[in-house]
Amino acid sequence: MSRFLSVIAVADAVAAAEKIAPAQKTETVPVEQSAGRVLAGDIAADVDIPGFDRSVVDGYAVRSADTTGAGNSAPSLLQCIGRVAMGTHDTNLRIGTAECTYIPTGGVLPEGADAAVMVEYTEEAGDTILVKKTVAHGENILLRDDDFKTGEVVFHAGRRLSPQDAGVLAACGCATVMVAKKPVIGIISTGNELVPATIVPGPGQVRDANAPMLASWLREYGCEPRLCGIVKDEREAFETMIAKALPACDVILLSGGSSKDDRDMTAGVIAGKGTVLVHGVAIAPGKPTIIGQINNKPVFGLPGHPASAFVVLIAIVRPLLDKMLGLDHPMLPTMKAILAENIPSQRGREEYVRVKVEKGVATPLFGKSGLLNTLVKSQGIIRIPAGFEGLEKGSDVEVILW
Ligand code: AMP
Ligand code: MG
């Protein structure tokens, strides 16, 4: 077996990952807990919203024609024939010529009225109301179904729901909503040198940065991370950990040990218990990436360097998660920026360069791949496609924000 990785293109790795994505699972959640979740079916309005013509101001419901020419010096004098009460519809309340009713915000517009005048532009004189402003037909009112019509699809499946969406869902009659179940992602850190954050590292030891980083991103992305712990670079330890994690997880992410060194266990263990589909991707950072399957579940081997693991998570694992979640478009916030410096790149591999963004200008943070600091000093990454030898200073770039 060759000691070198034979790499495939990022697009092919993504396709291989998407192909093995487990089918979307769904669950029903209370609407007030739906924000951030991905809608699993279309939602239509079950009633007209609003359900009746209504005022958007506190004031008087009027026939707009009766206010023509009204102003401070020449008010229209209207007869107040009643008050609109909230939460009821008094069908006997009808406005004739030169008549009006008091109406609060959200009250049902009485028969005959076609506008409302704000109370600030009126004066009460017993039953007579002085209207000091001309209002146009339709002014200060909302018509029935102005928002949504009965049967209209308000949200399509695949939408990541926002807090505002929860409000509209409730208005559409949804006390509960069917969403994609959060994929359960097992996270295993590997390496003889790794210790947890609670331990002061001894000689040659490093703290496990990947597990909390991967878990945090996955949680924000709508998954349920499951921290499985650290394993030593020993085949048996790997196998035991994977066997323990697999039944409860939909996907497993291992980090570290994904290359071809004698101490790199991941590929051998996956091959022993399942199938290695991809070993090596033309991506920088992140070349030693593994995509495999054990018991029909995707198992990824991510590179150990935190920055590499993070880039591979976003570029290669994320599309599989999008499929599992049924997302209609990836949730990757981006911004346009102007590049501050030339970035050389090696043709034939897709490069992700960390950048600092200030006032719309993106400055690359070149640093050795093992450094952690560029992960937090950068606001995001720029993708340089495989066919490019670099990007020139001054060019327009899209920054994937993280
Ligand atoms: P590996 O991919 O196992 O060859 O590891 C590459 C580099 O990443 C080594 O310097 C490891 O110590 C480091 N590394 C591996 N896993 C982690 C981790 N979970 N947290 C921080 N550094 C790691
Ligand atoms: Mg290692």
Side-chain angles (χ1 to χ4, degrees):
M1 198 175 73
S2 163
R3 292 196 58 79
F4 299 107
L5 295 169
S6 58
V7 298
I8 67 165
V10 172
D12 294 334
V14 167
E18 285 177 331
K19 211 167 147 190
I20 57 168
Q24 185 200 48
K25 297 182 200 164
T26 61
E27 65 181 346
T28 300
V29 296
V31 68
E32 69 274 16
Q33 288 169 27
S34 65
R37 306 298 297 272
V38 182
L39 193 61
D42 292 354
I43 298 288
D46 68 337
V47 291
D48 286 338
I49 305 172
F52 49 88
D53 299 349
R54 68 183 185 189
S55 175
V56 296
V57 295
D58 289 332
Y60 291 88
V62 299
R63 300 160 75 105
S64 57
D66 290 343
T67 70
T68 305
N72 265 333
S73 52
S76 291
L77 303 183
L78 304 182
Q79 178 75 12
C80 187
I81 58 160
R83 293 178 75 85
V84 171
M86 289 299 283
T88 60
H89 184 186
D90 180 357
T91 47
N92 293 325
L93 207 53
R94 294 176 153 266
I95 292 177
T97 306
E99 290 179 342
C100 66
T101 61
Y102 179 77
I103 191 165
T105 302
V108 179
L109 199 70
E111 207 69 28
D114 70 339
V117 192
M118 281 172 82
V119 72
E120 287 86 338
Y121 297 110
T122 66
E123 202 181 306
E124 232 183 281
D127 283 346
T128 302
I129 305 301
L130 282 69
V131 174
K132 298 178 178 176
K133 191 168 189 268
T134 303
V135 285
H137 172 71
E139 198 166 327
N140 295 327
I141 62 170
L142 277 183
L143 295 180
R144 181 188 182 111
D145 81 21
D146 258 355
D147 251 338
F148 302 106
K149 293 188 192 351
T150 304
E152 178 181 342
V153 174
V154 176
F155 297 121
H156 288 277
R159 179 184 177 93
R160 191 180 287 273
L161 296 169
S162 68
Q164 308 90 286
D165 291 352
V168 173
L169 283 165
C172 290
C174 301
T176 61
V177 60
M178 191 169 70
V179 296
K181 218 171 173 171
K182 294 182 180 185
V184 180
I185 316 292
I187 299 169
I188 303 172
S189 299
T190 79
N192 287 341
E193 75 281 20
L194 296 184
V195 292
T198 47
I199 305 268
V200 179
Q205 293 185 325
V206 292
R207 287 183 172 134
D208 175 11
N210 288 347
M213 174 182 71
L214 299 172
S216 304
W217 187 89
L218 288 164
R219 188 172 289 111
E220 279 198 352
Y221 207 70
C223 302
E224 189 185 316
R226 187 156 299 192
L227 293 169
C228 301
I230 297 170
V231 289
K232 298 254 180 250
D233 296 316
E234 291 157 11
R235 196 181 174 104
E236 230 172 69
F238 264 65
E239 288 176 351
T240 309
M241 180 68 98
I242 292 175
K244 210 173 113 194
L246 211 52
C249 297
D250 300 307
V251 176
I252 301 271
L253 302 183
L254 294 134
S255 73
S258 63
S259 199
K260 278 202 156 180
D261 187 77
D262 288 342
R263 260 172 295 276
D264 292 331
M265 297 289 140
T266 310
V269 169
I270 298 175
K273 297 288 172 190
T275 320
V276 170
L277 303 162
V278 173
H279 193 186
V281 180
I283 186 171
K287 182 167 136 186
T289 289
I290 301 167
I291 306 173
Q293 237 181 341
I294 302 177
N295 296 350
N296 272 327
K297 295 190 177 174
V299 179
F300 287 86
L302 307 180
H305 283 311
S308 313
F310 203 43
V311 165
V312 172
L313 174 72
I314 289 172
I316 297 172
V317 180
R318 181 197 45 77
L320 169 136
L321 301 175
D322 289 352
K323 245 191 120 181
M324 292 178 76
L325 287 162
L327 264 179
D328 56 5
H329 65 278
M331 199 184 59
L332 279 188
T334 59
M335 70 172 284
K336 300 253 179 264
I338 308 280
L339 197 56
E341 295 170 27
N342 289 337
I343 307 182
S345 172
Q346 199 176 310
R347 201 187 260 279
R349 67 181 193 186
E350 192 164 304
E351 280 203 45
Y352 287 84
V353 179
R354 277 151 269 169
V355 291
K356 201 179 169 79
V357 189
E358 271 167 337
K359 297 194 176 116
V361 177
T363 308
L365 294 180
F366 298 114
K368 292 180 182 149
S369 65
L371 294 174
L372 283 174
N373 75 73
T374 51
L375 269 176
V376 288
K377 288 183 177 161
S378 58
Q379 275 79 41
I381 42 176
I382 296 175
R383 172 178 167 269
I384 308 177
F388 283 59
E389 278 177 342
L391 291 177
E392 272 181 49
K393 174 181 175 173
S395 50
D396 293 319
V397 289
E398 188 177 64
V399 181
I400 301 169
L401 299 168
W402 60 27

